[in-house]
Amino acid sequence: MSADPVVIDGGDRSCVRLLLELRGHLAGLAPGTVVHLIAGDPAAPIDLPAWCHLTGHSYLGPVEPAASPTYALQVAADPRPTSPESPWRPR
């Protein structure tokens, strides 16, 4: 595992689309990897911690200082799956 976080730029995507893409990115990362997610959607600070709780990934909080809103999470060893088309619903 690298000491440097993996940076994913979610831009201004809505949280639904962002979570779909994030789920795909995280599937290819080793457990314990820290990810910094750049997300401009105003719902991200609410949706991302809830999604991490649902899936088993660890939400580490906002990254300060950052040029754009950025949130840290850590990849779980055995994340709980979500519905293929609805990342906020357990499978």
PDB file of all heavy atoms in Angstrom, residues 2-17:
ATOM      1  N   SER A   2       0.569   2.176  -0.854  1.00  0.00           N
ATOM      2  CA  SER A   2       1.320   3.417  -0.970  1.00  0.00           C
ATOM      3  C   SER A   2       0.956   4.358   0.174  1.00  0.00           C
ATOM      4  O   SER A   2      -0.178   4.386   0.646  1.00  0.00           O
ATOM      5  CB  SER A   2       0.991   4.070  -2.314  1.00  0.00           C
ATOM      6  OG  SER A   2       1.529   5.361  -2.369  1.00  0.00           O
ATOM      7  N   ALA A   3       1.936   5.150   0.603  1.00  0.00           N
ATOM      8  CA  ALA A   3       1.669   6.145   1.645  1.00  0.00           C
ATOM      9  C   ALA A   3       0.908   7.339   1.077  1.00  0.00           C
ATOM     10  O   ALA A   3       0.253   8.058   1.811  1.00  0.00           O
ATOM     11  CB  ALA A   3       2.976   6.609   2.269  1.00  0.00           C
ATOM     12  N   ASP A   4       1.020   7.565  -0.230  1.00  0.00           N
ATOM     13  CA  ASP A   4       0.317   8.674  -0.863  1.00  0.00           C
ATOM     14  C   ASP A   4      -1.124   8.279  -1.155  1.00  0.00           C
ATOM     15  O   ASP A   4      -1.386   7.168  -1.611  1.00  0.00           O
ATOM     16  CB  ASP A   4       0.996   9.061  -2.180  1.00  0.00           C
ATOM     17  CG  ASP A   4       2.389   9.625  -1.971  1.00  0.00           C
ATOM     18  OD1 ASP A   4       2.612  10.265  -0.922  1.00  0.00           O
ATOM     19  OD2 ASP A   4       3.243   9.417  -2.842  1.00  0.00           O
ATOM     20  N   PRO A   5      -2.067   9.197  -0.911  1.00  0.00           N
ATOM     21  CA  PRO A   5      -3.458   8.867  -1.218  1.00  0.00           C
ATOM     22  C   PRO A   5      -3.694   8.811  -2.727  1.00  0.00           C
ATOM     23  O   PRO A   5      -3.006   9.459  -3.504  1.00  0.00           O
ATOM     24  CB  PRO A   5      -4.245  10.015  -0.586  1.00  0.00           C
ATOM     25  CG  PRO A   5      -3.275  11.138  -0.505  1.00  0.00           C
ATOM     26  CD  PRO A   5      -1.916  10.530  -0.343  1.00  0.00           C
ATOM     27  N   VAL A   6      -4.680   8.035  -3.114  1.00  0.00           N
ATOM     28  CA  VAL A   6      -5.157   8.015  -4.493  1.00  0.00           C
ATOM     29  C   VAL A   6      -6.141   9.169  -4.616  1.00  0.00           C
ATOM     30  O   VAL A   6      -7.062   9.283  -3.809  1.00  0.00           O
ATOM     31  CB  VAL A   6      -5.853   6.672  -4.806  1.00  0.00           C
ATOM     32  CG1 VAL A   6      -6.525   6.710  -6.165  1.00  0.00           C
ATOM     33  CG2 VAL A   6      -4.863   5.524  -4.706  1.00  0.00           C
ATOM     34  N   VAL A   7      -5.942  10.025  -5.605  1.00  0.00           N
ATOM     35  CA  VAL A   7      -6.815  11.180  -5.791  1.00  0.00           C
ATOM     36  C   VAL A   7      -7.793  10.893  -6.924  1.00  0.00           C
ATOM     37  O   VAL A   7      -7.383  10.501  -8.021  1.00  0.00           O
ATOM     38  CB  VAL A   7      -6.005  12.459  -6.097  1.00  0.00           C
ATOM     39  CG1 VAL A   7      -6.929  13.636  -6.362  1.00  0.00           C
ATOM     40  CG2 VAL A   7      -5.041  12.769  -4.947  1.00  0.00           C
ATOM     41  N   ILE A   8      -9.069  11.065  -6.644  1.00  0.00           N
ATOM     42  CA  ILE A   8     -10.123  10.887  -7.636  1.00  0.00           C
ATOM     43  C   ILE A   8     -10.854  12.214  -7.755  1.00  0.00           C
ATOM     44  O   ILE A   8     -11.369  12.741  -6.768  1.00  0.00           O
ATOM     45  CB  ILE A   8     -11.103   9.770  -7.237  1.00  0.00           C
ATOM     46  CG1 ILE A   8     -10.356   8.428  -7.125  1.00  0.00           C
ATOM     47  CG2 ILE A   8     -12.256   9.680  -8.237  1.00  0.00           C
ATOM     48  CD1 ILE A   8     -11.188   7.305  -6.560  1.00  0.00           C
ATOM     49  N   ASP A   9     -10.882  12.754  -8.959  1.00  0.00           N
ATOM     50  CA  ASP A   9     -11.546  14.035  -9.187  1.00  0.00           C
ATOM     51  C   ASP A   9     -12.964  13.792  -9.675  1.00  0.00           C
ATOM     52  O   ASP A   9     -13.187  13.405 -10.811  1.00  0.00           O
ATOM     53  CB  ASP A   9     -10.763  14.865 -10.201  1.00  0.00           C
ATOM     54  CG  ASP A   9     -11.293  16.281 -10.337  1.00  0.00           C
ATOM     55  OD1 ASP A   9     -12.374  16.581  -9.790  1.00  0.00           O
ATOM     56  OD2 ASP A   9     -10.627  17.098 -10.995  1.00  0.00           O
ATOM     57  N   GLY A  10     -13.924  14.010  -8.785  1.00  0.00           N
ATOM     58  CA  GLY A  10     -15.330  13.826  -9.129  1.00  0.00           C
ATOM     59  C   GLY A  10     -15.951  15.062  -9.738  1.00  0.00           C
ATOM     60  O   GLY A  10     -17.106  15.038 -10.161  1.00  0.00           O
ATOM     61  N   GLY A  11     -15.187  16.153  -9.780  1.00  0.00           N
ATOM     62  CA  GLY A  11     -15.684  17.388 -10.383  1.00  0.00           C
ATOM     63  C   GLY A  11     -16.999  17.826  -9.764  1.00  0.00           C
ATOM     64  O   GLY A  11     -17.174  17.767  -8.555  1.00  0.00           O
ATOM     65  N   ASP A  12     -17.932  18.230 -10.621  1.00  0.00           N
ATOM     66  CA  ASP A  12     -19.235  18.701 -10.127  1.00  0.00           C
ATOM     67  C   ASP A  12     -20.341  17.686 -10.392  1.00  0.00           C
ATOM     68  O   ASP A  12     -21.509  18.046 -10.436  1.00  0.00           O
ATOM     69  CB  ASP A  12     -19.575  20.059 -10.741  1.00  0.00           C
ATOM     70  CG  ASP A  12     -19.679  20.004 -12.256  1.00  0.00           C
ATOM     71  OD1 ASP A  12     -19.401  18.940 -12.850  1.00  0.00           O
ATOM     72  OD2 ASP A  12     -20.035  21.035 -12.854  1.00  0.00           O
ATOM     73  N   ARG A  13     -19.970  16.414 -10.550  1.00  0.00           N
ATOM     74  CA  ARG A  13     -20.984  15.376 -10.774  1.00  0.00           C
ATOM     75  C   ARG A  13     -21.938  15.304  -9.585  1.00  0.00           C
ATOM     76  O   ARG A  13     -21.555  15.543  -8.449  1.00  0.00           O
ATOM     77  CB  ARG A  13     -20.323  14.010 -10.945  1.00  0.00           C
ATOM     78  CG  ARG A  13     -19.563  13.844 -12.223  1.00  0.00           C
ATOM     79  CD  ARG A  13     -18.893  12.458 -12.204  1.00  0.00           C
ATOM     80  NE  ARG A  13     -17.918  12.301 -13.257  1.00  0.00           N
ATOM     81  CZ  ARG A  13     -16.672  12.729 -13.212  1.00  0.00           C
ATOM     82  NH1 ARG A  13     -16.222  13.381 -12.153  1.00  0.00           N
ATOM     83  NH2 ARG A  13     -15.849  12.520 -14.212  1.00  0.00           N
ATOM     84  N   SER A  14     -23.169  14.910  -9.871  1.00  0.00           N
ATOM     85  CA  SER A  14     -24.129  14.699  -8.784  1.00  0.00           C
ATOM     86  C   SER A  14     -23.648  13.507  -7.958  1.00  0.00           C
ATOM     87  O   SER A  14     -22.921  12.645  -8.453  1.00  0.00           O
ATOM     88  CB  SER A  14     -25.516  14.414  -9.343  1.00  0.00           C
ATOM     89  OG  SER A  14     -25.537  13.146  -9.968  1.00  0.00           O
ATOM     90  N   CYS A  15     -24.057  13.464  -6.708  1.00  0.00           N
ATOM     91  CA  CYS A  15     -23.580  12.393  -5.834  1.00  0.00           C
ATOM     92  C   CYS A  15     -23.965  11.006  -6.340  1.00  0.00           C
ATOM     93  O   CYS A  15     -23.199  10.063  -6.192  1.00  0.00           O
ATOM     94  CB  CYS A  15     -24.079  12.603  -4.406  1.00  0.00           C
ATOM     95  SG  CYS A  15     -22.890  13.569  -3.443  1.00  0.00           S
ATOM     96  N   VAL A  16     -25.133  10.864  -6.954  1.00  0.00           N
ATOM     97  CA  VAL A  16     -25.533   9.549  -7.466  1.00  0.00           C
ATOM     98  C   VAL A  16     -24.512   9.059  -8.491  1.00  0.00           C
ATOM     99  O   VAL A  16     -23.986   7.953  -8.378  1.00  0.00           O
ATOM    100  CB  VAL A  16     -26.945   9.601  -8.093  1.00  0.00           C
ATOM    101  CG1 VAL A  16     -27.278   8.290  -8.766  1.00  0.00           C
ATOM    102  CG2 VAL A  16     -27.975   9.947  -7.034  1.00  0.00           C
ATOM    103  N   ARG A  17     -24.226   9.875  -9.465  1.00  0.00           N
ATOM    104  CA  ARG A  17     -23.253   9.483 -10.494  1.00  0.00           C
ATOM    105  C   ARG A  17     -21.863   9.316  -9.882  1.00  0.00           C
ATOM    106  O   ARG A  17     -21.126   8.393 -10.217  1.00  0.00           O
ATOM    107  CB  ARG A  17     -23.237  10.522 -11.603  1.00  0.00           C
ATOM    108  CG  ARG A  17     -22.271  10.147 -12.683  1.00  0.00           C
ATOM    109  CD  ARG A  17     -22.388  11.046 -13.859  1.00  0.00           C
ATOM    110  NE  ARG A  17     -21.298  10.711 -14.753  1.00  0.00           N
ATOM    111  CZ  ARG A  17     -21.265  11.005 -16.005  1.00  0.00           C
ATOM    112  NH1 ARG A  17     -22.276  11.652 -16.535  1.00  0.00           N
ATOM    113  NH2 ARG A  17     -20.249  10.674 -16.748  1.00  0.00           N
TER     114      ARG A  17
END
